[in-house]
Amino acid sequence: MGVDRSLLLSVLGWWTWVWVATVLALVLALVVLVLGVLRRNRPVILPGLPFYLDEPRVIEICQQGGYGDIAKRTIREFVNRSTDGTFGFTSQWFKFGRGANRGHETETSYDVHVTANTLLGLVLKSLEAQHGVVHANLTAGVVQADRAWRRTRSPLLSEIHDGYVVVQGRFTVVEESGDEVVLHARIGERDAWVRVACHDDHLRRKEVPEGQFNARCLGKSQAWRPESGELVILPVAVLQ
């Protein structure tokens, strides 16, 4: 009794398509996995040179996101280099660890900014790994957030409560006292403002630009003041 070749080919053809579909699905899953790993490991950059950095809050955020040990090691390495006399630095930042030689302070140092930007990259990765962070271009009036944040939050800046934001805009100094400098940036074309109070403990006051300047502020939204049209942000870092 002979075998029907057309029937055999149809059966083999059907199984061939099943195997092809299975292989394609596995390849797709592998690509998604690899892209996810690459995305998590990619460097996160907040452009600019910081003139404000709240180091204790930076460490706290990194610890919450699982990057605390890396952040502390980064600071230790910086302090060790400074203590060994490689270069001097302003003692406002990076007090963690053994401390540093305060006898050879300089006005600014490229290495200070590199260390600060490295830590801020860890902060952004920590926030993205947790509840997300909102990015807002104040001049263009554009608000963006990652998917995890958008699922439960409103994309309006005035409705952000207790969330972290990165706001980009044109800032000016509106108040200045003995222990802090207050910055304002207009939100779009409205009579609404972002208010950022920078305490001297974390501020390089001499590096704050004069007049109006472009800057980014990473911080935590605290409150919306409708009477004054101000969104109050507790700053973690300000970069120019």
Side-chain angles (χ1 to χ4, degrees):
M1 185 176 182
V3 178
D4 190 333
R5 291 186 177 182
S6 62
L7 177 61
L8 181 61
L9 289 174
S10 66
V11 171
L12 290 176
W14 183 79
W15 278 106
T16 300
W17 283 111
V18 170
W19 280 108
V20 169
T22 302
V23 171
L24 289 176
L26 290 174
V27 171
L28 180 61
L30 180 61
V31 169
V32 171
L33 178 62
V34 171
L35 289 177
V37 172
L38 291 176
R39 182 179 184 275
R40 177 169 174 77
N41 292 329
R42 80 185 191 281
V44 182
I45 300 174
L46 196 60
L49 296 178
F51 58 81
Y52 183 89
L53 183 73
D54 187 338
E55 182 186 342
R57 189 169 292 274
V58 164
I59 295 296
E60 178 184 352
I61 295 173
C62 288
Q63 288 177 328
Q64 293 172 351
Y67 295 95
D69 291 340
I70 300 176
K72 291 178 181 179
R73 184 167 64 248
T74 300
I75 295 175
R76 283 197 185 98
E77 291 173 354
F78 176 88
V79 171
N80 288 338
R81 292 198 308 273
S82 301
T83 306
D84 293 340
T86 306
F87 57 86
F89 68 101
T90 304
S91 60
Q92 284 173 293
W93 297 350
F94 313 130
K95 299 176 183 178
F96 177 85
R98 293 191 290 121
N101 184 1
R102 303 294 193 253
H104 302 283
E105 295 180 358
T106 58
E107 193 64 34
T108 185
S109 168
Y110 173 75
D111 301 82
V112 172
H113 291 138
V114 169
T115 303
N117 282 95
T118 300
L119 292 173
L120 291 176
L122 296 175
V123 167
L124 288 178
K125 292 179 72 172
S126 298
L127 293 175
E128 290 177 354
Q130 298 177 73
H131 304 297
V133 58
V134 179
H135 294 260
N137 186 317
L138 302 178
T139 305
V142 176
V143 178
Q144 295 178 323
D146 63 12
R147 288 176 296 175
W149 193 90
R150 284 199 304 267
R151 280 198 294 266
T152 57
R153 309 270 186 164
S154 166
L156 298 176
L157 270 180
S158 60
E159 295 184 6
I160 298 174
H161 302 293
D162 205 33
Y164 283 94
V165 297
V166 174
V167 293
Q168 175 185 355
R170 296 187 62 79
F171 287 81
T172 54
V173 176
V174 293
E175 297 178 30
E176 194 167 358
S177 64
D179 59 356
E180 73 175 11
V181 171
V182 178
L183 307 177
H184 257 192
R186 182 187 292 273
I187 302 175
E189 298 298 326
R190 300 178 299 157
D191 289 328
W193 310 84
V194 161
R195 177 186 173 90
V196 180
C198 301
H199 199 276
D200 264 1
D201 286 348
H202 314 296
L203 176 68
R204 291 172 175 268
R205 189 181 283 244
K206 292 183 179 181
E207 294 185 13
V208 179
E210 296 181 358
Q212 192 175 62
F213 58 92
N214 293 315
R216 283 179 171 85
C217 173
L218 166 64
K220 194 170 188 179
S221 176
Q222 286 190 300
W224 167 251
R225 298 176 178 174
E227 67 282 357
S228 60
E230 291 179 313
L231 176 65
V232 180
I233 293 179
L234 177 65
V236 174
V238 184
L239 304 92
Q240 195 267 331

